[in-house]
mmCIF file of all heavy atoms in Angstrom:
data_model
loop_
_atom_site.group_PDB
_atom_site.id
_atom_site.type_symbol
_atom_site.label_atom_id
_atom_site.label_comp_id
_atom_site.label_asym_id
_atom_site.label_seq_id
_atom_site.Cartn_x
_atom_site.Cartn_y
_atom_site.Cartn_z
ATOM 1 N N VAL V 1 40.838 66.073 24.748
ATOM 2 C CA VAL V 1 40.873 67.503 25.088
ATOM 3 C C VAL V 1 39.781 68.246 24.317
ATOM 4 O O VAL V 1 39.085 69.102 24.870
ATOM 5 C CB VAL V 1 42.257 68.104 24.773
ATOM 6 C CG1 VAL V 1 42.220 69.632 24.845
ATOM 7 C CG2 VAL V 1 43.297 67.565 25.746
ATOM 8 N N SER V 2 39.609 67.896 23.048
ATOM 9 C CA SER V 2 38.565 68.520 22.225
ATOM 10 C C SER V 2 37.183 68.245 22.798
ATOM 11 O O SER V 2 36.324 69.143 22.860
ATOM 12 C CB SER V 2 38.668 67.994 20.792
ATOM 13 O OG SER V 2 37.651 68.538 19.990
ATOM 14 N N GLN V 3 36.963 67.026 23.260
ATOM 15 C CA GLN V 3 35.666 66.675 23.848
ATOM 16 C C GLN V 3 35.444 67.379 25.179
ATOM 17 O O GLN V 3 34.315 67.701 25.536
ATOM 18 C CB GLN V 3 35.583 65.153 24.028
ATOM 19 C CG GLN V 3 35.485 64.396 22.711
ATOM 20 C CD GLN V 3 35.695 62.903 22.869
ATOM 21 O OE1 GLN V 3 36.615 62.457 23.555
ATOM 22 N NE2 GLN V 3 34.838 62.116 22.236
ATOM 23 N N LEU V 4 36.528 67.620 25.905
ATOM 24 C CA LEU V 4 36.410 68.262 27.212
ATOM 25 C C LEU V 4 36.130 69.757 27.124
ATOM 26 O O LEU V 4 35.596 70.338 28.085
ATOM 27 C CB LEU V 4 37.701 68.039 28.011
ATOM 28 C CG LEU V 4 37.846 66.669 28.677
ATOM 29 C CD1 LEU V 4 39.283 66.439 29.115
ATOM 30 C CD2 LEU V 4 36.899 66.556 29.867
ATOM 31 N N GLN V 5 36.496 70.384 26.028
ATOM 32 C CA GLN V 5 36.327 71.833 25.918
ATOM 33 C C GLN V 5 34.898 72.268 26.186
ATOM 34 O O GLN V 5 34.647 73.252 26.881
ATOM 35 C CB GLN V 5 36.787 72.323 24.537
ATOM 36 C CG GLN V 5 38.288 72.247 24.312
ATOM 37 C CD GLN V 5 39.079 72.930 25.406
ATOM 38 O OE1 GLN V 5 38.803 74.063 25.783
ATOM 39 N NE2 GLN V 5 40.074 72.238 25.934
ATOM 40 N N GLY V 6 33.936 71.529 25.626
ATOM 41 C CA GLY V 6 32.532 71.870 25.838
ATOM 42 C C GLY V 6 32.127 71.779 27.299
ATOM 43 O O GLY V 6 31.374 72.624 27.806
ATOM 44 N N PHE V 7 32.637 70.774 27.998
ATOM 45 C CA PHE V 7 32.328 70.629 29.422
ATOM 46 C C PHE V 7 32.934 71.781 30.219
ATOM 47 O O PHE V 7 32.295 72.330 31.122
ATOM 48 C CB PHE V 7 32.865 69.295 29.943
ATOM 49 C CG PHE V 7 32.088 68.095 29.484
ATOM 50 C CD1 PHE V 7 32.466 67.400 28.347
ATOM 51 C CD2 PHE V 7 30.957 67.677 30.177
ATOM 52 C CE1 PHE V 7 31.744 66.295 27.915
ATOM 53 C CE2 PHE V 7 30.228 66.576 29.752
ATOM 54 C CZ PHE V 7 30.613 65.886 28.616
ATOM 55 N N TYR V 8 34.163 72.155 29.885
ATOM 56 C CA TYR V 8 34.818 73.236 30.620
ATOM 57 C C TYR V 8 34.127 74.577 30.377
ATOM 58 O O TYR V 8 34.049 75.416 31.273
ATOM 59 C CB TYR V 8 36.297 73.319 30.218
ATOM 60 C CG TYR V 8 37.122 72.132 30.678
ATOM 61 C CD1 TYR V 8 38.315 71.798 30.049
ATOM 62 C CD2 TYR V 8 36.710 71.338 31.744
ATOM 63 C CE1 TYR V 8 39.076 70.720 30.465
ATOM 64 C CE2 TYR V 8 37.458 70.248 32.162
ATOM 65 C CZ TYR V 8 38.642 69.935 31.525
ATOM 66 O OH TYR V 8 39.391 68.868 31.934
ATOM 67 N N GLU V 9 33.635 74.773 29.177
ATOM 68 C CA GLU V 9 32.970 76.035 28.860
ATOM 69 C C GLU V 9 31.601 76.141 29.526
ATOM 70 O O GLU V 9 31.136 77.236 29.848
ATOM 71 C CB GLU V 9 32.811 76.172 27.344
ATOM 72 C CG GLU V 9 34.136 76.425 26.619
ATOM 73 C CD GLU V 9 33.996 76.324 25.111
ATOM 74 O OE1 GLU V 9 32.850 76.136 24.642
ATOM 75 O OE2 GLU V 9 35.023 76.414 24.409
ATOM 76 N N LEU V 10 30.934 75.005 29.739
ATOM 77 C CA LEU V 10 29.576 75.002 30.292
ATOM 78 C C LEU V 10 29.513 74.591 31.751
ATOM 79 O O LEU V 10 28.422 74.445 32.296
ATOM 80 C CB LEU V 10 28.679 74.050 29.471
ATOM 81 C CG LEU V 10 28.491 74.400 27.997
ATOM 82 C CD1 LEU V 10 27.692 73.299 27.289
ATOM 83 C CD2 LEU V 10 27.776 75.738 27.842
ATOM 84 N N GLU V 11 30.674 74.420 32.379
ATOM 85 C CA GLU V 11 30.668 73.875 33.731
ATOM 86 C C GLU V 11 29.987 74.768 34.752
ATOM 87 O O GLU V 11 29.580 74.305 35.818
ATOM 88 C CB GLU V 11 32.098 73.589 34.187
ATOM 89 C CG GLU V 11 32.964 74.828 34.334
ATOM 90 C CD GLU V 11 34.408 74.492 34.711
ATOM 91 O OE1 GLU V 11 34.646 73.335 35.099
ATOM 92 O OE2 GLU V 11 35.263 75.367 34.609
ATOM 93 N N GLY V 12 29.807 76.046 34.450
ATOM 94 C CA GLY V 12 29.193 76.947 35.416
ATOM 95 C C GLY V 12 27.679 76.967 35.392
ATOM 96 O O GLY V 12 27.062 77.602 36.238
ATOM 97 N N THR V 13 27.066 76.308 34.428
ATOM 98 C CA THR V 13 25.608 76.340 34.329
ATOM 99 C C THR V 13 25.059 74.959 34.062
ATOM 100 O O THR V 13 25.760 74.054 33.634
ATOM 101 C CB THR V 13 25.162 77.265 33.178
ATOM 102 O OG1 THR V 13 25.691 76.762 31.955
ATOM 103 C CG2 THR V 13 25.640 78.692 33.406
ATOM 104 N N VAL V 14 23.773 74.784 34.315
ATOM 105 C CA VAL V 14 23.096 73.519 34.045
ATOM 106 C C VAL V 14 21.689 73.810 33.583
ATOM 107 O O VAL V 14 21.097 74.811 33.970
ATOM 108 C CB VAL V 14 23.076 72.605 35.294
ATOM 109 C CG1 VAL V 14 22.246 73.210 36.407
ATOM 110 C CG2 VAL V 14 22.541 71.229 34.938
ATOM 111 N N GLY V 15 21.152 72.961 32.718
ATOM 112 C CA GLY V 15 19.799 73.195 32.220
ATOM 113 C C GLY V 15 19.816 74.000 30.937
ATOM 114 O O GLY V 15 20.802 74.613 30.580
ATOM 115 N N THR V 16 18.736 74.015 30.220
ATOM 116 C CA THR V 16 18.672 74.711 28.937
ATOM 117 C C THR V 16 18.074 76.102 29.066
ATOM 118 O O THR V 16 18.142 76.891 28.138
ATOM 119 C CB THR V 16 17.817 73.900 27.953
ATOM 120 O OG1 THR V 16 16.537 73.651 28.544
ATOM 121 C CG2 THR V 16 18.463 72.548 27.690
ATOM 122 N N GLY V 17 17.510 76.398 30.200
ATOM 123 C CA GLY V 17 16.905 77.723 30.366
ATOM 124 C C GLY V 17 17.942 78.777 30.611
ATOM 125 O O GLY V 17 19.068 78.493 31.005
ATOM 126 N N ALA V 18 17.551 80.018 30.403
ATOM 127 C CA ALA V 18 18.495 81.125 30.578
ATOM 128 C C ALA V 18 18.915 81.258 32.025
ATOM 129 O O ALA V 18 20.025 81.657 32.340
ATOM 130 C CB ALA V 18 17.865 82.432 30.094
ATOM 131 N N ALA V 19 17.969 80.911 32.969
ATOM 132 C CA ALA V 19 18.279 81.054 34.379
ATOM 133 C C ALA V 19 19.348 80.057 34.793
ATOM 134 O O ALA V 19 20.307 80.372 35.484
ATOM 135 C CB ALA V 19 17.030 80.839 35.228
ATOM 136 N N GLY V 20 19.161 78.818 34.326
ATOM 137 C CA GLY V 20 20.160 77.790 34.590
ATOM 138 C C GLY V 20 20.419 77.606 36.064
ATOM 139 O O GLY V 20 19.579 77.823 36.910
ATOM 140 N N GLY V 21 21.599 77.189 36.404
ATOM 141 C CA GLY V 21 21.964 76.965 37.794
ATOM 142 C C GLY V 21 23.408 76.538 37.864
ATOM 143 O O GLY V 21 24.018 76.207 36.866
ATOM 144 N N ARG V 22 23.957 76.528 39.053
ATOM 145 C CA ARG V 22 25.354 76.141 39.219
ATOM 146 C C ARG V 22 25.499 74.627 39.171
ATOM 147 O O ARG V 22 24.665 73.904 39.703
ATOM 148 C CB ARG V 22 25.882 76.639 40.568
ATOM 149 C CG ARG V 22 26.059 78.142 40.659
ATOM 150 C CD ARG V 22 27.128 78.657 39.773
ATOM 151 N NE ARG V 22 28.447 78.142 40.106
ATOM 152 C CZ ARG V 22 29.511 78.377 39.380
ATOM 153 N NH1 ARG V 22 29.428 79.066 38.264
ATOM 154 N NH2 ARG V 22 30.680 77.889 39.742
ATOM 155 N N ILE V 23 26.551 74.166 38.523
ATOM 156 C CA ILE V 23 26.838 72.746 38.553
ATOM 157 C C ILE V 23 27.293 72.391 39.964
ATOM 158 O O ILE V 23 28.226 72.990 40.486
ATOM 159 C CB ILE V 23 27.971 72.390 37.564
ATOM 160 C CG1 ILE V 23 27.471 72.527 36.133
ATOM 161 C CG2 ILE V 23 28.497 70.982 37.796
ATOM 162 C CD1 ILE V 23 26.540 71.447 35.687
ATOM 163 N N ALA V 24 26.620 71.432 40.578
ATOM 164 C CA ALA V 24 26.990 71.040 41.927
ATOM 165 C C ALA V 24 28.426 70.530 41.929
ATOM 166 O O ALA V 24 28.788 69.641 41.172
ATOM 167 C CB ALA V 24 26.048 69.942 42.426
ATOM 168 N N GLY V 25 29.246 71.091 42.818
ATOM 169 C CA GLY V 25 30.643 70.646 42.903
ATOM 170 C C GLY V 25 31.472 71.031 41.699
ATOM 171 O O GLY V 25 32.419 70.328 41.350
#
């Protein structure tokens, strides 16, 4: 669960840039 928290918090973006993008699916 602790390891998953980071994925759940970042699931809406991808990439390191500010613009980012949506995680597909």
Side-chain angles (χ1 to χ4, degrees):
V1 168
S2 178
Q3 290 168 315
L4 281 165
Q5 290 307 311
F7 287 93
Y8 292 158
E9 289 170 4
L10 298 175
E11 65 183 347
T13 61
V14 65
T16 55
R22 290 293 297 174
I23 290 287

